[in-house]
Amino acid sequence: ERRFHFELHDKKDIFELTLLGGQIAEKKPLRGIRRFEEAIETGFFDDLGVRRLRDTQRAVFGSHSNSIPVKDRRTLHHLGLKPLILIDTNVLINALKDDLLREISSDQYGSLDWTVERSFHMMLLRRSKSDVFVTIPPSAIGEFKHRTKTPDSVLKLFEGVYINHQEWNKIVTPAFLKERVKIILNSFNTWNQSIEVANRNDVELEEFLLKHEMIFEMVDQYKRARSNSAPIRTELNGKEIYPESGDIEIMQDAAGLAKLPLQEIGCILVATRDSDFRLVSRALEERYGFGVISDAQQLNSRI
């Protein structure tokens, strides 16, 4: 590696760099691939040089990808890999609400308020067409279906939003709602594998949750203050302040996927507006190797 750094910072010989990087990768694949990343990021080389470095890096990665878990690929930005984004229930609900507002609106635009929530799910859908893979964890699917069983249950989700009840009752029938729920679920599923490839039982989360007791206590107080009924929480060590079981399962799914050498995947992200994820996002990434995104800006910064 000393020779590699000498060539990189002094001679800048592309041929020697590709040769040395390949030799490093033979013994330590990830280190070799990272050396190519370092060389590309220096800005020392013209487009042709960068292309040669990138092509060699990708060839080396292709030979060793089965031994490199996704969590170790997060800083490798030149391999042409895509993020795999797990969609939480709150994003699905915002997407459904936006969809239904457009359906019952006379101008087909629904709410004209360009909120953070609205821009987030719309950007996720846009990016999912080419830049990222999206999928929905089983627990999020279950909760989404449960909360959208009937038009009346969905109507309660529009707190603080004006709804023309005459139009709602005319358009949002049980059959119509069922079809729109199905469309939303299909829209956020572009990954051709099942999340079940990750084994939740291999992810130990209780110690992590207990370590961040003060944060979850604050989140719990916030959720109780905002809710008319007591929020569903998980009890650990006698304190019922931790994320509900569905959110814990999503954390385990994401952590389990990050441990696998998945094809085409460069990082695992959870798309959510939930403070149970957001306030410990950095700790989750450091400990388990998956990130958390909660708005369009954070999404775009990861691509």
Side-chain angles (χ1 to χ4, degrees):
E1 290 194 45
R2 289 182 181 177
R3 280 193 61 197
F4 184 91
H5 282 101
F6 174 74
E7 290 290 342
L8 177 59
H9 294 283
D10 289 281
K11 291 191 174 183
K12 302 179 177 62
D13 186 301
I14 289 288
F15 178 78
E16 283 296 321
L17 284 171
T18 55
L19 188 64
L20 291 168
Q23 290 174 354
I24 295 170
E26 286 179 7
K27 295 181 179 180
K28 298 179 180 179
L30 187 58
R31 290 181 73 89
I33 293 167
R34 284 176 172 165
R35 295 293 75 78
F36 284 112
E37 191 79 16
E38 178 186 353
I40 293 169
E41 294 286 347
T42 59
F44 291 163
F45 307 101
D46 59 17
D47 290 345
L48 179 60
V50 168
R51 188 159 60 248
R52 289 178 64 182
L53 287 168
R54 187 178 63 238
D55 289 347
T56 306
Q57 183 195 37
R58 291 184 178 186
V60 171
F61 176 77
S63 300
H64 299 282
S65 60
N66 288 337
S67 65
I68 301 176
V70 173
K71 64 181 180 180
D72 290 334
R73 306 174 186 176
R74 289 171 292 157
T75 59
L76 304 175
H77 305 299
H78 299 278
L79 293 173
L81 303 174
K82 297 181 181 181
L84 171 60
I85 304 178
L86 279 59
I87 308 297
D88 196 8
T89 312
N90 49 75
V91 176
L92 299 174
I93 286 176
N94 285 332
L96 177 65
K97 288 166 62 177
D98 197 41
D99 179 69
L100 294 177
L101 279 174
R102 286 198 301 270
E103 289 293 335
I104 65 174
S105 172
S106 58
D107 58 15
Q108 292 295 302
Y109 286 100
S111 170
L112 294 179
D113 295 331
W114 191 253
T115 62
V116 171
E117 292 87 350
R118 190 181 193 196
S119 64
F120 188 31
H121 70 254
M122 292 186 75
M123 184 59 72
L124 281 165
L125 287 171
R126 177 184 167 190
R127 290 293 195 180
S128 70
K129 290 177 171 57
S130 59
D131 302 317
V132 305
F133 294 107
V134 291
T135 190
I136 309 171
S139 56
I141 294 175
E143 183 183 1
F144 180 60
K145 287 182 175 180
H146 176 73
R147 296 181 67 182
T148 58
K149 277 184 176 180
T150 67
D152 286 342
S153 64
V154 173
L155 189 58
K156 293 177 182 177
L157 300 174
F158 287 90
E159 185 178 358
V161 178
Y162 171 74
I163 298 294
N164 184 320
H165 284 255
Q166 185 176 356
E167 287 297 309
W168 177 274
N169 293 330
K170 182 172 68 175
I171 295 173
V172 187
T173 63
F176 178 84
L177 176 61
K178 184 177 180 180
E179 180 62 23
R180 303 317 293 184
V181 166
K182 181 180 178 181
I183 289 173
I184 294 296
L185 290 173
N186 289 337
S187 298
F188 285 100
N189 186 23
T190 63
W191 192 44
N192 61 7
Q193 293 191 51
S194 169
I195 285 181
E196 276 76 8
V197 298
N199 188 349
R200 286 186 198 145
N201 296 328
D202 287 343
V203 179
E204 200 292 312
L205 203 63
E206 184 171 326
E207 180 184 343
F208 174 87
L209 297 174
L210 292 171
K211 182 180 178 180
H212 295 87
E213 175 186 333
M214 292 181 63
I215 292 176
F216 290 117
E217 192 161 21
M218 180 176 64
V219 172
D220 180 68
Q221 291 173 358
Y222 172 74
K223 290 192 173 189
R224 290 180 188 277
R226 288 191 62 193
S227 177
N228 294 325
S229 57
I232 301 172
R233 307 298 283 167
T234 295
E235 181 178 340
L236 295 174
N237 277 8
K239 290 192 173 183
E240 198 173 348
I241 61 172
Y242 297 96
E244 60 182 288
S245 59
D247 289 336
I248 290 176
E249 288 176 1
I250 293 174
M251 291 179 184
Q252 290 175 315
D253 286 337
L257 290 169
K259 293 167 66 175
L260 299 176
L262 301 171
Q263 289 188 351
E264 300 183 80
I265 305 302
C267 65
I268 305 295
L269 302 172
V270 175
T272 182
R273 301 283 302 162
D274 195 330
S275 50
D276 277 321
F277 287 85
R278 294 166 66 185
L279 293 186
V280 291
S281 59
R282 180 171 295 183
L284 285 169
E285 188 150 17
E286 290 176 355
R287 174 65 179 83
Y288 296 105
F290 71 88
V292 176
I293 53 174
S294 55
D295 57 43
Q297 184 177 3
Q298 291 179 358
L299 167 62
N300 291 334
S301 71
R302 295 283 192 147
I303 298 172

